[in-house]
Every structure is written in structure tokens, then in C-alpha cells.
Amino acid sequence: MLNGERLISRPLRWAMVGGGRTGQVGYKHRTGALRDNTAFELVAGAFDIDAERGKDFGVNIGVPENRCYSDYQTMFAEEANREDGIDVVSIATPNATHYDICKAALEADLHVICEKPLFFTTEEAQFIKELAEEKGKIVGVTYGFSGHQLLLQMRAMIEQGKIGDVRVVDLQYTHGFCATDEGDQKNDAQKWRVDPKVAGPSFVLGDLSTHTYYMSQLILPHMKIEKLLCDRQSFVGSRAPLEDNAHVLMHYDNGAVGTMWTSSINAGCMDAQRIRIVGSKASLEWWDSRPNELIYEIQGEPSQTLVRAMPYLDESCNRDERLGALHAEGLSESWANIYLKFAAAIDAKDRGDEETLKNLVYPDIDAGLEGVRWVENCVRSADQGAVWVDFE
Amino acid sequence: MLNGERLISRPLRWAMVGGGRTGQVGYKHRTGALRDNTAFELVAGAFDIDAERGKDFGVNIGVPENRCYSDYQTMFAEEANREDGIDVVSIATPNATHYDICKAALEADLHVICEKPLFFTTEEAQFIKELAEEKGKIVGVTYGFSGHQLLLQMRAMIEQGKIGDVRVVDLQYTHGFCATDEGDQKNDAQKWRVDPKVAGPSFVLGDLSTHTYYMSQLILPHMKIEKLLCDRQSFVGSRAPLEDNAHVLMHYDNGAVGTMWTSSINAGCMDAQRIRIVGSKASLEWWDSRPNELIYEIQGEPSQTLVRAMPYLDESCNRDERLGALHAEGLSESWANIYLKFAAAIDAKDRGDEETLKNLVYPDIDAGLEGVRWVENCVRSADQGAVWVDFE
Amino acid sequence: MLNGERLISRPLRWAMVGGGRTGQVGYKHRTGALRDNTAFELVAGAFDIDAERGKDFGVNIGVPENRCYSDYQTMFAEEANREDGIDVVSIATPNATHYDICKAALEADLHVICEKPLFFTTEEAQFIKELAEEKGKIVGVTYGFSGHQLLLQMRAMIEQGKIGDVRVVDLQYTHGFCATDEGDQKNDAQKWRVDPKVAGPSFVLGDLSTHTYYMSQLILPHMKIEKLLCDRQSFVGSRAPLEDNAHVLMHYDNGAVGTMWTSSINAGCMDAQRIRIVGSKASLEWWDSRPNELIYEIQGEPSQTLVRAMPYLDESCNRDERLGALHAEGLSESWANIYLKFAAAIDAKDRGDEETLKNLVYPDIDAGLEGVRWVENCVRSADQGAVWVDFE
Amino acid sequence: MLNGERLISRPLRWAMVGGGRTGQVGYKHRTGALRDNTAFELVAGAFDIDAERGKDFGVNIGVPENRCYSDYQTMFAEEANREDGIDVVSIATPNATHYDICKAALEADLHVICEKPLFFTTEEAQFIKELAEEKGKIVGVTYGFSGHQLLLQMRAMIEQGKIGDVRVVDLQYTHGFCATDEGDQKNDAQKWRVDPKVAGPSFVLGDLSTHTYYMSQLILPHMKIEKLLCDRQSFVGSRAPLEDNAHVLMHYDNGAVGTMWTSSINAGCMDAQRIRIVGSKASLEWWDSRPNELIYEIQGEPSQTLVRAMPYLDESCNRDERLGALHAEGLSESWANIYLKFAAAIDAKDRGDEETLKNLVYPDIDAGLEGVRWVENCVRSADQGAVWVDFE
């Protein structure tokens, strides 16, 4: 059980680009990274496009004023000159800027942690992957829900044959917020997400479904999509040409089929992500609104509810436990788990410990690249009229 | 509130074809029809392909021995000669026999109530529809779940604009029973369902999804499918060429989209049917495993749970109420509601009361025909490789 | 699995006292008794204090006009003179009349089925018990919720040691209907329940908690209350001196403790009855609003949900199954199960088959007497200031 | 919405007594206090009865080695000599030690945050209250679940009359862990809790129900208990004379009644705390296993589920929001909220800002004293044979 004690040689010196006062996601990064102050220390930042506001904010969360920078270029340059300069930077800016900042960070010899969807194209992702390898750096992607422990329980149970052969993968990430013409425009944190120039080739496919798609890969590492079909719509007119609703059908290499429903027009829905894996003997189901419960339905037997923190769970799941049974964990623990694994990966990379790296399960550059590929294939299918396309 | 008092001129003299001791569905018909003994009286039957067993069974449920017939042909002929001969017959036999028995019944001047899926082709359904019109008879179809009162609540609320414009129709009828090679073959009531000669061109699409599709039409009478795409699989090998899993995407004439998941390989799933209707303002969701609850989720407001029998429900819903608040109703009430409407329709038809007929909402020949059309279109799409087809 | 076939020598000729058009409970009796028309036939009745309305009603549910009587005395006298006279009568009248009608029925050599709470005093119940024995007749009590199959599953699992030693019995029957000064008075079916002259010495203790108390005895036949303490209140002033809320603490002879909360002021509560039995190894929990689900929580293991109709349930539970898996049963099946057992008991009694009688589990005169005793002890405790009293 | 920015003049210098590697609660304190590093900084500690282990632990969570002390006496003395000495200390040691450490801390001019149950007697609590007043210091009590935001929503809604007059208060804190003779003894974190010398006069009443009792006071600040009755048992023999199960009945000064069930033998129960407040118009219900949902049941209307972070919630509730809608919060946010209020109280106290102090709702010395009083009264009633006692 995790109790906050240091697990790596020393806390990493960490900075953020973006994630300032006006957005919501920056706080999640800090909550995750700084959970125990033994994996990361926040020492610098270029928190805001408005440099003054960014500095005011940085100081107010305890960053030394002289390390609150006006932009990421300056930060990377200045920090490179310090003996105690930053080791790693998190990028929590709108999608269109991810690629340039990632590239600059790697070129400045920094490890990188970046928001999803990583980039606009797989070419960009492939380039960054190669650059990271060349530089010997880690690129982590903040699929922030993927740190929920029970996902590892699902992975372990499926690996152990507890549900038999996987037949159907049923994925959902939907909600109904901002689903009016004015909805997006009134909300600064939302507005850019429906602007193709900033958001890229998709809205909900990139913004929402990449999370769930990654989580499905985490649970089902042995399965690959062979072809898919994506049907997308823009119900709120002002979001066109970007979709606010999409249904995807998938065929996997092992004969399984899958569906993804992603939407920001699912009015009133407060259970954003639902993942159901159907096997030949049993099914597993998990919802992100009740992250402490995992439903295990064996055909012909009573349905079971597995609860986080219980000794009957797999060791790979309980390894991330913090609060103990009867004590609800939430999204902040999920982020903390991911950031702790980023730290472990960075530490291992720096020490050249490939064995540790190989065994770490976390959203790395491949996960980021795969998310971009997912969006690309969905968009390609949709744009041809919702036809089947090979997953390339 | 219904209390069993007679609502029509006299109870109808009723017979069954099939529905004997070895199947499960016959008891549901009797439970529905005979709920209060004021709408139907069971006076005759050809209950079983095994005539002796059928007679023994008939006597044991109170049918006079001389009106327990060895086959439907004999029954229709003999009953026609009685002054107190049957008015109406229910057909609860395997799919392949529905058409011939329906035709014979109408030709014998009987009203007909028939199991779903009604027939194998829309041509057959069209023919029977015309024959029924010519004969002045009712043909009802036992979509047995469609009598749940809260479906009428959904219909009323959508009609009243309580969810805004319908955007997404999310349908599901799945379970995991018999999902092994031996599963179907060991079970007599199941075996014929996966034999194309008896079951027709589909397994779960016809056996399961026709129910849910009809219920969606009951809820959304103003919406028509324009095109659909159906992807189907046979996970249990012995079921091929019939599917045991299918995903359907639909486009409606009002711009809404829909999905149907129907399956008999959804291992461990005990919530067979789920219906979610997403509108521009709110959503409605209902599960047949908890038929007394309706979820109403208005975007930006607390989610509501409407409970059967409460005064706040629409009058069209509460009209079918029997047991009162705090008293769970189940599938037997759903069947009773449908059969009561069949009786009302037959009574009105016999009286020439077209006004009453026009206002009765129940699964009639058009609903049966539409179910056959649904299966035909799904199969047509699937057989071309899961492509989009116009809904014809 | 029950399919409606006759299980006894012939359907019993059955009459009702009360249960006419203006109340709600009569329909439940008829729904239960006439479920399959093979256990009971409704042939006579004195349905209403208003004789004309009663006759009109009787004819309208199919009773011959000349057997619709103006009062029970006449009915018992006239039916005694018929060769096909009634075998058994159900009493569905306000509490204050139960004793006289029961006595008259037994004296007329009829089997009796009576509403709860049976009588006002244990002396009355004891007298009727002796009279029934003398007459060789059955007295059944309509604890109408006690026919839910999963209660027998609880009984079997506890008998089999599946929860270990019982430690806590947690009972609840609460709702919030009519909980205003005007609430009871506006509602004819409710009004008499808060009038001590008609209802007896209690309101919710008798009207509600006797159900749940009987169900706890059905589940835990080996446990007896040794002492209890009852604290009762009249929150709605016009109900005083009768209580509309009570909490009872119980000590059992095996060292277990228990609680009962019964109330008609639990505003908004739609899950009327909840029963939780805590053992040294596991707990069982069942709610009457979701009667098809039984929760089985083993300490240190995943929680299980057992679902009605599944093969893994105990044979004693599945014996009452009618509709099959995935098909919700409700309160009407519970009543049907009880009435079917009344029929079996009467049939066995008439045949002198004591072996069958001994093995039948149903709410008999002892169950009725025990319910009266429960109320008496609760009231005695409450009236002394909510003190502990020995259960006498 | 909280985003981690500093809300007080400077982060407080904070130390812990206890809370080291072998217990579970220390991590919760650190998780709460250090959430954003802008309210508290952990600078010293006497973390363990085993001084070496305590030092090793302290260093490993980032405390300077020379400020990892062997015992609290040394720590208070040494820190008093530092210019940057600690401002506040948290006490996370077994119950029997709370009083001495609290007293010493106040005498060393420190603010204090202490685990519950605060002390063994109300006299002790009264003494500490007076000492704190004299010293001008804050004493906070870590009722760690009481920071869940929806409790403030309940408080606000009841204050606003949304449920009418409160009639019934239904409280529960139960679980089934360690409920065997060996259960407690094998578990170091559990063992002392059933030893009267260390735990005090009660086990579950003090260890569990003081939480829920405080939360009920937070929700219902206007209501006082007038008398209560407590019935307690020791089902696991080795726990005697301390109880592992208790039922309490309460009468409040406004005519309401209440119940508390607290237990560590509720086998399999994973929903530890449940709070239901019944009013004359509606009820509110909240469970700590699903802390993001609040059930609002208005009699005669659809039941509502209010979800954390939604704009329709009261401002007093949303003020503590951190992660935003669709993002599950858990127990760590609850602790963070409480610690943030401790910081605000300390900051206000130090600044002499009585206005702020008066408006802060958090578990202060009065809440701690009230918890001790609750246990005292329960034990007094139980020890006299579960009789009614005036709440003194």
C-alpha cells in the first residue's frame, strides 16, 4: 500500500506549460504530481498565455517568482542554464500547441508529460517518438482516468482467463455538457475544443474517446483493431465540422468486435465512461462515476461486485492502493497513480534500468501515438461516409 | 386503476395453438389473457405437436377434453361448427409455422394473436394484413414486454417535448444464456431458434431485437428509420449461419441516429433490454429488469427517478395501473396489459367502433409487419458486408 | 417451474367477504387466487358494505348474480345449502371485523383466508386457532409479500449455514404516503386505518410491520424474540393515539439482536420493505421494491447478487418459479404463490394428508397469531414509555 | 472552485505526532494537509513510538532528519527554540494518549489537530477547551469524512426548509472487518482499538459512530438530543467488555427521533456510513461509499439524485469543489477540505479575525467535546441495561 514514502532516488524537478488559473486541467496535473511531494517538486512554470497572470498564479502556488516564465521557450532556455534546472515538463495547453512544445522540450533534454490527444497526426507522433528515443527521454501522456486501480484488476483477470475469450468490447465516453449553440462559446475552457484550428480534426473523438480507447488497450493489451467504421454527427450546429457525437464499430484481430459511443450531447448523462468487456464465460464492467466498484458477471453464477482495496484483488491492482477499504478513492488518486509511474519511468530511464521500464504499465508515447491513430482512422472512415476502413 | 372488472361486452372465447407443457411462452400468454377472466376465457386448444400430451395438458388447465384438439386444422374446423365456438386464437409455435396458422385462422374467421417474429418476409406480412382487413379481423402480435406502463410514460413525455428534439436512440436486448456449442442443443425451447429452417433468416435479430425495436416505435411513433447498417457475428459456431450478436446503426428521418445491440453472448448480463432516448434537453432511460423505474435526466438538473403508479405520471400511463404504489409489477402485468388491449381491439372491431380502434395503442399487424421489415433490412445489410442500406 | 397446471384434486370453490370496488386489496386477492384458474374459482361473494354496489361489482367480475350476497351471514347460510357451495372464504375487510367473520366462517365449516393483522388480541387468535382445529379447517393469513421466492432462498441459505450464526436482524417497512393531517382523511381506503375502533391498538405496527415480522420468521424459523422495546410516535397529529412511526429493538433467544423501523412518515421512501440478516460470516439483504434480486455479502469476498429464476438457487426457492430468467416477477406472483399454498393446505387438510401439511411453508393461523402477539408486545412496551418487555 | 492557490498569509509549519509507517491514518492526514502545499508544510514529526523507524520514515517523506524527533516532548521543546519552529501539530496516536499530547502541545503554544475520539471524558475535553481559549489556539478534530461537500448541501437544504420539519434522523456506520476472535489481534492497527486501556470505554461507539454523530450535527446544527437509549453487544468474545455492535435510539429537542447503528460485525457491508434525514415533506440520504451523490426524495414527486460539482448545488457546498463535474472525488478531498478549514481557522485566530472564525464550519473543540459526550451517554445507558438516559 502506498503511503507517500519516496520510491525514487530523489523527487524530480518539474515544470508546467499551461495549466494556469483559467483552465481546469492544470489542477489535476498538480494534484497528481504533487500528491506526496516525493515524486515531483513544482519548481518552475510558464502557466499562462497571459504572462502576468501566469506569474501571479505561479507565485501563489509556491513557485519562486523568478522561475515563473512568460513562455515555454524562455523557460526551457533559462532552466537549461541552472544547475538545479527542471528535469521534466508537463504540457497542459490546447491541442494545436502540443507538438511544438513537446519537440522543444525534448530538444532541451527534458522528459515530457503531455495532455491528450497528443498531436494532430501520427506522423508527428512518430517523429516525437523517434526524437524521444534519440534523446533518451520519456514522453508520458495524461490519460488521467487510466490510473484507476480496478482497470489493472480487469487486465489481470482477463490475462488469467477469468472471462474466457474476449468477444465484445463495449466502450462509452459520453456526457451532455455545453450541448447548445451558446454552450461552448460561453465557456473559455470549452471554446477552443470545437475550433478545428486549435482542436484538430475532431472534437469528442479526440477530447473524450482517446481516454477510453487507451483504457481499453490497457485492459486488453493483446488485442488489436483490424478495421473500424465511424459514424459522426454535429448536433450542435456551431460545432460543425467537428463532431459532437460518434458511434464506432470495431473488428479486432482475435475475432472480437467492439463499439465506442462518444458524445457531448448525451443530455443528463453523469456516468461518463463505461467499459464492458464480454468474454465467452463472463463479463467485466466498470464505470468512472463509481470507480471503486468492478462488476464481474459470470454466466450462470451470481453477479459479483469487486470493491477497491480488498485483499481478494490482484496484486498488480492493490499495489496502487492508498486509502484502504471503505475509503472512497476518486480521480485524484488516478492522476497520482499515473504521475507516480511517470516518475518511476523517468527515474528508470535516467538510471538506464530497462528492466523496470519494460514492466511499467503507463500511458507512454506509444499510447499517445495510438490515440492519434485512433482519431485518424475514425475521421477517415467518417469522412468517407461512415464506411469500414482498415486500421492503419 | 384496473381492478379486473369487465370492460368489454363479454369475455372472448379463446384458444391456443402451441403453448403446451414443453415450452415457456404458453404460460405467459395464459397469464396475460386470463388475468382477470373478464377479457378472455380459454375454451379450446391444440396445445402440442404431440396430441396426447396436448390433450392431457389442456384438461389439466381446465379446457374441456373434447375441445383439446390434435391440430389447429381440426380445431378451426370443429369450432366453426359450434354455436359457442372460439372468437380468437393465439399462436405460440415456432416461427416457421406462424404464417400458415395465421392464414388458416383468418380464413376460419377468427381474430388472431401471434408470437413474434411474425413471419419470414414482409410479403407474407403484407398478405396477412390484407387478408385480415378483408375478413374484418384483428391480428395482434405478442411483443410481451411492450405492455410495461412506463413505456407509455416515455411516449407521453417525448410527445410533450419534455426531452426536446430526439437526437440519439440507444437500444439493447442482450443476454448470455446458452452461449456455448452445447447450450442451444440441450434445450428444446432453444434449439429451433438457431435452425434457419424453423427460425428464419436470423436468430437474435428476430428473437430478441424485434421486441425492443417495437418498443422504440411505441415510444417514438413520429420517427422512421431512413437507413441502417448491421454487423452480425456467430460467436457460437453451431449457430452459424444465424447470428448470436449484432450491432445496428440507424439514421432516422428527423436527423436522429440510433444503435441497437442484440446478443445472446453477453455473458452474465441480467438486464436484458435497455432503452435510452437522448433529446436536446434531457434523456429518458428504462430497463426491463427494473420495469417500475424510469430515469429522467435533464441536462443541468438533478437526475429524476419516476416510479410506476405515482400520481405525477401521465394519465395514459396510469390507466394501465393495477397494484398501486409500493407494489412491484412485473412481466405478467405487461402481458395482461397487451392482452387487455387485444380484447378491446377485437371488441371494437366486432362492434365496428373505428374511433376506439384508432386510439388504441397496441402491437397490431403493422407492428408485426414492421418487425419483419426490421429483420429483413438488418440481414440485407449484414449479408452485404455490414454496409449502409436504405430502410425499405 | 409452475405453468398453471392443476396441482390439487379440483379447483376450490371460493368466495370473498369485502374486497369490492372501493378498496385496493380485493384485486390482489383475486390476482393471487385466480392466477391460473386451477386452484380457486370465484363463485360467490359479499363484496361490499353497500350491497347493491357489491352485487354490481360481483356480476362484473363474473360471479353469478344470485351468489352475490348482501352480507357474509347470508352468504354463509345460503352457500351451506348448495351442493356446490363454497369451500373457502377470504376476508378482506377492515381489521375490527376479522374476528367475527372468521368465527362465523369456521362455524359454517369453511376454510378461511384472512387479511392481516388478524385480530386485536392474542386471546381472539388463540380461540380461532382452537376452533379451526376442532373444525378441521385451515386459516391462512395474507401476508401478501411473503410469497416472493427469494425469501425462501434466504431461509435455505441460512439453514445451510451460508451466513454463519445470525447476529443482527435489520427490518424495515416504511413509506411516506398520506403523511399530512388531511392525507388519511381524504382517502377512504386509508381513513379507517388510523381509527382505533376499526384498526385496533396500532396503525403502522399492525398495518405494515406485521408483514415484515412474518417474513423474518419465514426466513429465521429457528429464532424467537425474548424481549423487545418499542418507541412509537404520532407525527401526524390526527393519527394520535395511533403511531405513524415506531422503532423496535429486539433480543432473540440465540443472542442475536434486531431492529424494526416501521413508518408512514418516511417521506419519499419508495423501497418499502428491507430485510437484512447479518451472520458471523456473511449477510443477506432483500428489498421488496427489487424483489428479483438478493444481495449476498460474504465478509472478505466480492459481494454477490443472486437473481430470481437462476439454476444456482435452492430448489425450495425455484419450485415457485413461473416466468423464467430475465423476466421480472412482482407482487402478483407473490400473492399467487401464497394462494397456491393455501389451496395445497386446504386440499391436504381435506384429504387428511398431514405429511404434506407439515412440510408446507405458508402463513397459517400460527403466523397470524404471532403477528397479533408482535403488535401486543410492541404496544405494551411503548405504552409503558418505550421500556424493555419480555415477549409474551 | 479550489485550484490550490494560497488562501492564507503563508503556509503553516506543521508537524505530526504518530502517523508513521505502521498505521493507516497518518497518510490521510498528510494527504489532507499537503494537498496543495499552500496551507501546510510538513517540517517536523515524532512519527513513531519506535524512534529509529520514525526517523527513517520522516526522512523518506521529505522531513529534514534533524526535525524527525524521538518523541513529542522533545519535538515541542526543540521546535520552540527555532525561529522557524512549528505552528501546529497533528496527533494521530491511539486514543489513550490524545489528552496528554494535546495538553503538552497547547502548553507549548501550538495549535492542535487531533484524531477522534478526542478523549475519554468530557471533563478532559472541557479542560482542553479552556486551555485552548486561554492560549488563543485552535483545536481541530479529524472527523475525516465530514469534509464531503454534499454534507454541506444537506445542511443548506434543511436550513432552507427543503425537507420541512425534521422528523427522523437515521444514522449508520457499520462494517464487518476483523469480526473474528483472531481478526483484531492479527492486525496491529486494529488491536489497540479493542483494548479498554488504550481505546477507552467503547470500541465502535467511539471509533466509528463519533464520525457519523458529528456529521449529523453538521447537517442539523439546530437540533439537540434530549435523551437516548443505547443497547450494545460484544459478538466477538475477545472484544468484551468493549462493544462491537450498538443500536442507539435518540429523542431530539424538536420532537424528532433518531437511530444510530454502529457495528464492526456487519458482515460484508461495504457502505460504511449512511445518513438519512426524514422531514415532513421530503428526505435526504447520503452514503459515504458514493460520496458524490445525494438522494433527495420529495413525497409525491420523482426522487432526485443531486451530483457533486453541479451548478444547481448551494454555494456553501460548491465552494469546496476541486475537480469539476464528471470527475469523482473521494475521501482524500474530504480530508483536504477539513485541513484547509483548519488552516483558515488557525490563520484567522492568529490574526484575531473573529468574524471569519465565527463563520467557519469545521470540527472544532466543541465538536470533539460533543463526540466524547455522545460516547459517555451511550455507555451510561448501555451499562444500566439499555435504558433511557437524559443526554447530559
Side-chain angles (χ1 to χ4, degrees), chain C residues 107-350:
Chain C
E107 287 169 346
D109 288 310
L110 297 172
H111 298 282
V112 178
I113 295 164
C114 187
E115 266 299 318
K116 45 45 54 186
L118 199 49
F119 308 130
F120 284 9
T121 68
T122 46
E123 284 72 23
E124 292 170 338
Q126 193 60 45
F127 177 86
I128 291 293
K129 178 178 174 171
E130 284 158 22
L131 181 59
E133 271 161 22
E134 186 187 313
K135 288 288 192 173
K137 298 297 171 191
I138 293 295
V139 176
V141 182
T142 47
Y143 294 121
F145 301 93
S146 69
H148 281 299
Q149 300 166 53
L150 289 173
L151 299 171
L152 292 176
Q153 178 68 19
M154 295 173 84
R155 177 184 169 108
M157 290 176 74
I158 292 168
E159 161 73 25
Q160 292 155 14
K162 295 282 175 65
I163 69 168
D165 299 325
V166 174
R167 289 175 166 177
V168 181
V169 178
D170 186 18
L171 306 173
Q172 188 168 324
Y173 191 157
T174 71
H175 64 69
F177 284 80
C178 305
T180 58
D181 279 320
E182 317 78 49
D184 305 310
Q185 307 304 322
K186 281 191 304 195
N187 184 334
D188 274 345
Q190 181 66 10
K191 198 171 163 181
W192 64 263
R193 294 175 203 269
V194 295
D195 175 355
K197 287 195 297 293
V198 191
S202 74
F203 169 30
V204 292
L205 285 164
D207 203 40
L208 304 182
S209 80
T210 48
H211 282 288
T212 324
Y213 176 60
Y214 169 65
M215 286 149 77
S216 74
Q217 292 188 294
L218 174 67
I219 296 167
L220 302 165
H222 60 294
M223 283 171 53
K224 301 290 167 214
I225 297 177
E226 283 195 337
K227 57 179 193 167
L228 63 70
L229 177 153
C230 173
D231 188 27
R232 65 174 180 168
Q233 300 82 37
S234 308
F235 281 105
V236 175
S238 57
R239 287 165 171 177
L242 299 190
E243 82 291 342
D244 53 14
N245 190 74
H247 289 98
V248 189
L249 302 181
M250 294 93 88
H251 283 198
Y252 289 87
D253 57 358
N254 67 341
V257 298
T259 57
M260 168 78 82
W261 180 22
T262 185
S263 182
S264 65
I265 58 99
N266 188 5
C269 175
M270 301 299 289
D271 299 309
Q273 292 184 83
R274 297 186 187 183
I275 295 179
R276 180 177 181 87
I277 312 294
V278 177
S280 51
K281 296 192 298 193
S283 298
L284 286 166
E285 184 159 336
W286 180 87
W287 296 11
D288 74 354
S289 60
R290 292 184 177 169
N292 298 295
E293 298 173 19
L294 174 62
I295 309 299
Y296 179 36
E297 301 178 335
I298 308 174
Q299 182 62 35
E301 298 189 15
S303 165
Q304 297 183 20
T305 303
L306 286 69
V307 180
R308 215 206 74 246
M310 291 299 284
Y312 53 69
L313 297 172
D314 194 75
E315 191 271 336
S316 64
C317 163
N318 274 347
R319 205 183 293 151
D320 292 343
E321 179 57 35
R322 294 163 188 273
L323 299 182
L326 301 181
H327 298 149
E329 290 193 3
L331 187 59
S332 60
E333 278 77 19
S334 175
W335 278 81
N337 291 337
I338 293 169
Y339 259 95
L340 192 55
K341 287 173 191 176
F342 290 152
I346 292 168
D347 181 69
K349 191 76 179 177
D350 286 351

Side-chain angles (χ1 to χ4, degrees), chain D residues 293-310:
Chain D
E293 300 173 19
L294 174 62
I295 309 300
Y296 179 37
E297 301 178 335
I298 308 174
Q299 182 62 34
E301 298 189 14
S303 166
Q304 296 182 20
T305 302
L306 286 69
V307 180
R308 216 207 74 246
M310 290 299 284

Side-chain angles (χ1 to χ4, degrees), chain A residues 231 251 267-268 276 283 299 386 388, chain B residues 231 251 266-268 283 299 386 388:
Chain A
D231 187 28
H251 283 199
R276 181 178 180 87
S283 298
Q299 181 62 33
W388 290 98
Chain B
D231 188 27
H251 283 198
N266 188 4
S283 298
Q299 182 61 35
W388 289 98

Side-chain angles (χ1 to χ4, degrees), chain A residues 90-350:
Chain A
S90 285
I91 302 168
T93 55
N95 306 352
T97 64
H98 293 172
Y99 177 73
D100 287 343
I101 307 177
C102 255
K103 186 157 168 287
L106 287 168
E107 287 169 347
D109 288 311
L110 297 172
H111 297 283
V112 177
I113 295 165
C114 187
E115 267 299 318
K116 43 45 56 186
L118 199 49
F119 307 129
F120 285 7
T121 67
T122 46
E123 284 71 24
E124 291 171 337
Q126 194 59 46
F127 176 86
I128 292 293
K129 179 178 172 170
E130 284 157 22
L131 180 59
E133 272 161 23
E134 185 188 316
K135 288 289 190 172
K137 297 297 170 190
I138 293 294
V139 176
V141 182
T142 47
Y143 293 123
F145 301 93
S146 69
H148 281 299
Q149 300 166 52
L150 289 173
L151 299 171
L152 291 176
Q153 178 67 18
M154 295 174 83
R155 177 184 170 108
M157 290 176 74
I158 292 168
E159 161 72 25
Q160 292 155 14
K162 295 283 175 65
I163 69 167
D165 299 324
V166 174
R167 289 175 165 177
V168 181
V169 178
D170 185 19
L171 307 174
Q172 188 168 325
Y173 191 157
T174 70
H175 65 69
F177 284 80
C178 306
T180 58
D181 279 320
E182 316 78 48
D184 306 309
Q185 307 304 323
K186 281 191 305 194
N187 185 332
D188 273 345
Q190 181 66 11
K191 199 172 164 182
W192 64 264
R193 295 175 202 268
V194 295
D195 175 356
K197 284 194 299 293
V198 191
S202 74
F203 169 28
V204 292
L205 284 164
D207 202 39
L208 304 182
S209 81
T210 48
H211 282 288
T212 324
Y213 176 60
Y214 169 66
M215 286 149 78
S216 74
Q217 292 187 294
L218 175 66
I219 295 168
L220 302 164
H222 59 296
M223 284 170 54
K224 301 291 168 213
I225 296 177
E226 284 196 337
K227 55 179 192 165
L228 62 71
L229 177 152
C230 174
D231 187 28
R232 65 173 180 167
Q233 300 83 36
S234 308
F235 281 105
V236 175
S238 57
R239 287 166 171 175
L242 298 191
E243 82 291 342
D244 53 14
N245 189 74
H247 288 98
V248 188
L249 301 181
M250 295 92 88
H251 283 199
Y252 289 87
D253 56 359
N254 68 341
V257 298
T259 57
M260 167 79 82
W261 179 24
T262 185
S263 182
S264 65
I265 58 101
N266 188 4
C269 176
M270 301 300 287
D271 300 309
Q273 292 185 84
R274 298 186 186 182
I275 295 179
R276 181 178 180 87
I277 312 294
V278 177
S280 51
K281 295 191 300 193
S283 298
L284 285 167
E285 183 159 336
W286 180 89
W287 297 8
D288 74 355
S289 60
R290 292 185 178 167
N292 298 293
E293 299 173 20
L294 173 62
I295 309 301
Y296 179 36
E297 301 178 336
I298 308 174
Q299 181 62 33
E301 298 189 15
S303 165
Q304 297 183 20
T305 302
L306 286 69
V307 180
R308 214 207 75 246
M310 291 298 284
Y312 53 68
L313 297 173
D314 194 75
E315 192 271 336
S316 64
C317 163
N318 274 347
R319 205 182 294 153
D320 291 342
E321 178 58 33
R322 295 162 189 272
L323 299 181
L326 302 179
H327 297 152
E329 290 193 3
L331 187 60
S332 60
E333 279 77 19
S334 176
W335 278 80
N337 291 336
I338 293 168
Y339 259 95
L340 192 54
K341 287 174 191 175
F342 291 152
I346 292 168
D347 180 70
K349 191 77 178 176
D350 286 351

